[in-house]
Amino acid sequence: MTNGEHEILNTLSVTDLCRVCCVDRTIIVSLVEFGVLTPAGRSEADWQFDQTGIQRAVRACRLERDLGINTAGIALVLDLLEERSRLLSQIQMLSGGDS
Amino acid sequence: MSERDPYKTLGVSRTSSDSEIKRAYRKLAREFHPDVNPGAEAEQRFKDINDAYDVLKDPEKKAEFDSAGRPRNASSQSGDWVGGFAFSDHAGRQGDPFADIFEAFGRRGPDPAAQRQGMFTADQHVRLGISLEEAVRGATREIVLQQPSIDANGNVVLQDRRVAVAVPKGVAPGQFLRLPGQGLLAQEGGRPGDLFIELVLEPHPVFRIHGSDLLMDLPVTPWEAALGTKLVLPTPGGSVNLKVPANAKSGQKLRLKRRGLPTSPPGHLYVVLQIVNPEATSPEAKDFFEKMAGAFDFDPRTHINR
């Protein structure tokens, strides 16, 4: 058994995000162009993706790969999923967790 | 449980055409995709659906199943060593079910050719489910990875490799870790890749996880709610003292600052009070409620009756 040190990924550059998502750079760039990802930094070389961005990117790439959804569709699906989870937690709050 | 009959898994018959099978697969894949349906059940179902489609989309494997009743490689590999944090293990391989769609949109999944050139080959991606307690206190978990290697007969075999993962204290849900040099050894003498781990918080029977905040329902008796009480509340980070104020209402939310997930900044713990009535079964209990009815001039329905 190997026991290695770990690094918590809080922010990532576009190059590292490509490695995490296992996708080509063009895919991340198009996710940014469609507003799915909103990195900090002005130019592509300076982009920094925070934790929410990393999670969104991984989800987006999975949806694209597994379901064949295009970028505009992913943008819509992720927005709707986030809206749904917000509403679900509101229901939980209102119903005292019976749901 | 994993369904062994791929026809049953996809809900198609043996006489279904290729396009009917493809349609059934796509519909189920959408329905059970774990990013759309969180939970271990959907994830397992999604894997089964993909395993089933792997058999039925391949004429050779399909014919083999039809005659022998099982596919050649009956054991499904959960190894996500190709394709990032995939739920299915065939993502990006040749024969990708949506290759035609990716091509239609001018892009593809991870390029196997690029992987052969050493672009991503060596990195390994794993999703690790952790309990709320492990996220709060930290833990060491052992994971088993599969490393492809070539045996004496020149066949590619998958060997188990054990890696200890130190889950840091206070991780946020969906946190990613990188273990440098713990990925695959792409070639003898080469540099191993990194191991990327996605930490997924498993649902907890008591606490609901909402970002860094935790939420729980706390049943209290009518007298505790009326008179107020102090009690000791077990939380994932240890016991805390909780003061229920007098005249507390059902559904009232109490906030315990910084008692949620110990992320930075830490989340809060919200306790939602639920007043639970004891059942009045004995004559004494009934008598007591009768007395209460007499003692209180209380109508909770004034807003309805006017």
Side-chain angles (χ1 to χ4, degrees), chain B residues 220-229 245-247 275-278 288-289 292:
Chain B
V220 290
T221 60
W223 48 92
E224 283 170 339
L227 308 172
T229 185
N247 294 315
I275 300 174
V276 182
N277 258 351
F288 183 81
F289 276 101
M292 256 179 98

Side-chain angles (χ1 to χ4, degrees), chain B residues 214-238:
Chain B
L214 298 177
L215 245 118
M216 72 171 294
D217 298 318
L218 183 71
V220 290
T221 60
W223 48 92
E224 283 170 339
L227 308 172
T229 185
K230 281 179 183 169
L231 42 89
V232 178
L233 198 64
T235 73

Side-chain angles (χ1 to χ4, degrees), chain A residues 17-24 57-66, chain B residues 33 35 78-93 96 102 108-112 115 119-127 184 196 198:
Chain A
L17 188 62
C18 290
R19 275 182 76 188
V20 168
C21 297
C22 218
V23 292
D24 196 80
V58 167
R59 274 183 121 179
C61 293
R62 265 196 303 242
L63 287 168
E64 171 161 15
R65 200 150 39 207
D66 295 341
Chain B
H33 194 276
D35 278 320
S78 61
D80 294 334
W81 53 282
V82 171
F85 292 96
F87 293 116
S88 58
D89 67 331
H90 66 214
R93 289 189 197 160
D96 185 311
F102 285 126
R108 286 169 292 164
D111 186 351
Q115 292 180 347
M119 196 170 155
F120 295 125
T121 14
D123 288 337
Q124 217 165 357
H125 300 75
V126 170
R127 271 164 65 85
L184 290 172
F196 291 100
E198 181 183 4

Side-chain angles (χ1 to χ4, degrees), chain A residues 14-50:
Chain A
V14 64
T15 310
D16 281 340
L17 188 62
C18 290
R19 275 182 76 188
V20 168
C21 297
C22 218
V23 292
D24 196 80
R25 199 182 179 101
T26 53
I27 293 184
I28 301 296
V29 172
S30 103
L31 287 171
V32 173
E33 280 168 359
F34 274 83
V36 176
L37 304 175
T38 45
R42 282 195 180 159
S43 65
E44 207 181 300
D46 301 329
W47 279 351
Q48 286 293 322
F49 297 86
D50 64 7

Side-chain angles (χ1 to χ4, degrees), chain A:
Chain A
M1 190 161 96
T2 27
N3 197 348
E5 56 194 55
H6 66 255
E7 180 193 335
I8 300 177
L9 304 181
N10 285 322
T11 56
L12 288 179
S13 68
V14 64
T15 310
D16 281 340
L17 188 62
C18 290
R19 275 182 76 188
V20 168
C21 297
C22 218
V23 292
D24 196 80
R25 199 182 179 101
T26 53
I27 293 184
I28 301 296
V29 172
S30 103
L31 287 171
V32 173
E33 280 168 359
F34 274 83
V36 176
L37 304 175
T38 45
R42 282 195 180 159
S43 65
E44 207 181 300
D46 301 329
W47 279 351
Q48 286 293 322
F49 297 86
D50 64 7
Q51 248 197 71
T52 317
I54 301 169
Q55 285 176 25
R56 267 177 91 89
V58 167
R59 274 183 121 179
C61 293
R62 265 196 303 242
L63 287 168
E64 171 161 15
R65 200 150 39 207
D66 295 341
L67 303 180
I69 307 175
N70 70 2
T71 314
I74 287 169
L76 180 66
V77 169
L78 286 183
D79 285 350
L80 291 176
L81 282 177
E82 273 160 28
E83 175 75 355
R84 184 186 70 170
S85 98
R86 199 180 60 75
L87 292 173
L88 279 175
S89 62
Q90 220 167 54
I91 291 174
Q92 268 189 343
M93 293 276 217
L94 292 171
S95 66
D98 292 339
S99 56

